[in-house]
Amino acid sequence: RAAMLVAWIAILAGAAARAWALSQRGSLWLDEAELALNVMTRSFGALAQPLDWGQIAPVGYLWLERAVAGHAEVPDRWLRIVPWCAGVALPRLLWQLGRRVVGTGVGALSAVTAAGSLLALRYSTEAKPYATDAAIAAVLLLMAWEVTRTPGAMARWWALAAGAVLAVTLSIPSVFVIAAIGAAIAIDATVRQAPGARRVALPALAL
C-alpha cells in the first residue's frame, strides 16, 4: 500500500510539474523551430519525404503534430501537446511495467524516477519526438511482458503485432526495442512455440 501511494503521488506530481513547465515555455527554440517549419509548411503526404533543415522524425509523429497544430495561428504550444501527453503517461507506464516485471516497490521507484527526471521533464515540453520515444518503448515492453505471461492468448499476440508495426511509424528507436522483443521471444522455447508467436508476432516484428 505504501508503494502504491508513493507511485500515485509521483504520477500526479509529475503530471502537475509537466503542466506547469509547459505553461512556462516560451517560443520554440532552434531545433524545435526547424522541425516545426517542416510540420507547418507541408501537407501530410509531403511529410513522408525527407525533411528540410537537417531534421529527422518518424512520419507518424509528424502527422500527429500536423493534425494537432495545423489549425493554430500560433502553434508553439500545440506542437508541444503530443510530447507533453507522452511525458505525462511515462511515469504511469513505468509504474505498471516495474510492478509487473519485478514488484510493487520497484514499480514505485520507476514512477518516482520518471516523474522526477529533469531530462524527462524537459523533453515532455519540447516539440521533438524524444518523449514519445520513451513512452512507446514502455508500451511495447508492457505488451511483450503480457504475451510472455500468457502465451496462449491470441489477442495479446495480435496487440503486440499491431503495436510493433504502428510503433515504427511513431518512433525511430522503437526498432531496437522490437529487435530485443523478438530476441526474447525466440530465446524462450515455451513462448516461441506458441501459435501466436509463430503465426502473428514474429512475422510482424520482422516486418
Side-chain angles (χ1 to χ4, degrees):
R1 290 182 180 180
M4 290 184 68
L5 180 61
V6 168
W8 279 104
I9 289 174
I11 291 167
L12 296 175
R18 283 155 177 74
W20 177 84
L22 182 65
S23 71
Q24 300 302 304
R25 290 299 296 261
S27 299
L28 302 174
W29 69 284
L30 180 62
D31 211 24
E32 289 179 293
E34 289 174 343
L35 187 62
L37 282 171
N38 287 281
V39 170
M40 301 305 295
T41 60
R42 293 181 178 217
S43 66
F44 283 93
L47 286 172
Q49 302 300 318
L51 302 179
D52 298 322
W53 310 103
Q55 294 297 304
I56 299 173
V59 65
Y61 174 82
L62 295 172
W63 284 349
L64 279 176
E65 291 281 82
R66 187 75 173 84
V68 170
H71 69 284
E73 293 183 7
V74 184
D76 294 26
R77 190 163 296 176
W78 288 99
L79 286 164
R80 291 167 173 157
I81 287 295
V82 172
W84 182 82
C85 291
V88 169
L90 183 61
R92 189 170 192 279
L93 289 170
L94 292 182
W95 151 243
Q96 294 292 338
L97 184 63
R99 68 190 283 238
R100 293 182 189 184
V101 176
V102 184
T104 306
V106 171
L109 180 60
S110 300
V112 170
T113 303
S117 167
L118 294 180
L119 195 60
L121 177 64
R122 171 191 167 185
Y123 286 141
S124 67
T125 60
E126 284 191 4
K128 299 287 288 184
Y130 308 129
T132 54
D133 290 339
I136 288 169
V139 170
L140 287 173
L141 292 173
L142 272 170
M143 289 180 170
W145 174 253
E146 292 297 332
V147 299
T148 59
R149 294 283 290 175
T150 54
M154 287 295 294
R156 291 184 173 176
W157 286 110
W158 279 108
L160 176 62
V165 173
L166 181 62
V168 175
T169 71
L170 295 170
S171 169
I172 293 173
S174 68
V175 295
F176 299 105
V177 182
I178 291 166
I181 291 171
I185 291 172
I187 289 170
D188 190 322
T190 302
V191 178
R192 182 180 67 244
Q193 293 169 5
R198 291 181 282 105
R199 299 174 189 173
V200 179
L202 290 177
L205 293 174
L207 174 66

